Amino acid sequence: MTTPLNLKNLERAQLRDALAELGHKPFRGDQVFRWIWRRRVDSIEAMTDLSLALREQLAGARIPRLEPADVRVAEDGTTKLLIALDDGKQVESVIIPDKDRRTLCVSTQVGCAMACTFCRTATMGLIRHLEPWEIVEQVLIAERVLEERGEGRTIQLKGRGQAGKVERALTNLVFMGMGEPLHNHAGTAAACRILTDEQGIGFPPRRITVSTVGLADRIEPFLAETGVNLAISLNAPDDGVRNQIMPVNRKFDMDVLLDTVSKLELSRRQRVTFEYVLLAGLNDSVEQAASLGKRLVPVADRIKVNLIPFNPHEGADFQRPDLDDVEAFRETLLQWGVEKVHVRRPRGDRILAACGQLALEKKPG
Ligand code: SAH
């Protein structure tokens, strides 16, 4: 027995091919795509403008939907969604509300293989890649949660000058949840193409940021395929420290990463984000900030730096630096000509929803 086709795993071009193979005009694939991602129907029968014959041909295909198994809200509104997958595994996504933004932090794998020593997800190891639809569903679930709470809605705007414009419950997506997006290159790229397709959800690619440990050989192809923004988790001033905390550095070191960034084709206002987790006594000194700043000079005008004070979790042997040290680190980078340095406030750390805290609690017993 073959498993039934999951229509939600297909990009629009693939749906067009699939329908052509069934003997129909390719534009029927566009119609099915719009029913699934724009109208968000759960059944073939609902696709009323398809011929009965075509609906019967598709009757065996699936249009599955995922639901949150648990929703936890922190005092500041940060919301952690625990999402139950069909095989019993689970992942987490986090809604981060801010003044005029609602950002969703999306997962791309169950667990992670990269083994960064400070990250809680790493303790799980890699369990499996997420399929494209499992990545996209996180966005739809978060939109439903926000809509139910009256905190945002996703609608096509109508009226003068608004044709084609969409008001969105979520304003930004960051692929910074569980997993390494570029390790699941095919799944994550397909998910981005489904999310950004204007005949479906139509999420603007420039409002999506994919964050990587630095799988350098995949960066340029991934960006060319998807048009989204890039973040790289640098986390160290030099290869000595980076080797210690990020095993991936033995394959792609800092020179390779900086060289990759210097060659990317960026639009005029586009910048690559360097994330830097500050670990007290390990990578947070002013001297280290200076040597990092010096190294960043050649790419200073194409990057911004996001400093993330370490978020503690059980079993991790690192400390969050004092705010003074964070500020001194920031000042030093600014002095070296890195113009944009932002300190990321911990959001939702009381419910273990902050950066690097996502992992599944071990079931008792
Ligand atoms: N694998 C991708 C996507 C995860 S993003 C990547 O590494 O970029 C998660 C971000 O949180 C990364 O920048 C990571 O360096 C950071 N991070 C991991 N553990 C953390 C922790 N305990 N405290 C603060 N930031 C952490």
Side-chain angles (χ1 to χ4, degrees), residues 118-119 175-177 179-181 211-213 233 235 275 277 308-311 313 355-356:
F118 48 84
C119 178
F175 285 59
M176 300 184 182
E180 166 50 40
S211 178
T212 175
V213 289
S233 298
N235 297 342
E275 293 153 289
V277 185
I308 318 173
F310 175 67
N311 293 309
H313 50 93
C355 299

Side-chain angles (χ1 to χ4, degrees), residues 159-192:
R160 266 196 172 201
Q162 303 206 299
K165 291 206 180 127
V166 183
E167 178 185 316
R168 291 184 185 282
L170 289 169
T171 58
N172 297 75
L173 302 179
V174 294
F175 285 59
M176 300 184 182
M178 297 166 73
E180 166 50 40
L182 300 194
H183 185 203
N184 181 11
H185 183 139
T188 305
C192 286

Side-chain angles (χ1 to χ4, degrees), residues 67-128:
E67 298 290 347
D70 188 30
V71 178
R72 272 190 232 179
V73 187
E75 286 143 61
D76 65 0
T78 303
T79 301
K80 186 159 84 164
L81 309 171
L82 180 66
I83 295 168
L85 305 172
D86 288 346
D87 61 356
K89 309 230 172 347
Q90 298 176 322
V91 286
E92 294 174 332
S93 328
V94 183
I95 304 172
I96 308 157
D98 216 335
K99 276 167 251 117
D100 46 1
R101 287 182 177 200
R102 285 165 307 272
T103 302
L104 183 71
C105 181
V106 177
S107 293
T108 55
Q109 296 177 318
V110 186
C112 185
M114 298 297 120
C116 302
T117 55
F118 48 84
C119 178
R120 186 158 179 254
T121 307
T123 62
M124 300 173 68
L126 177 64
I127 297 174
R128 70 167 171 87

Side-chain angles (χ1 to χ4, degrees), residues 18 33 61 97 111 120 183 188 202 224 244 264 266 279 304 342 358:
F33 188 85
R120 186 158 179 254
H183 185 203
T188 305
Q244 256 182 61
L264 289 177
L266 302 176
L279 307 163
K304 54 187 173 187
H342 175 80
L358 303 184

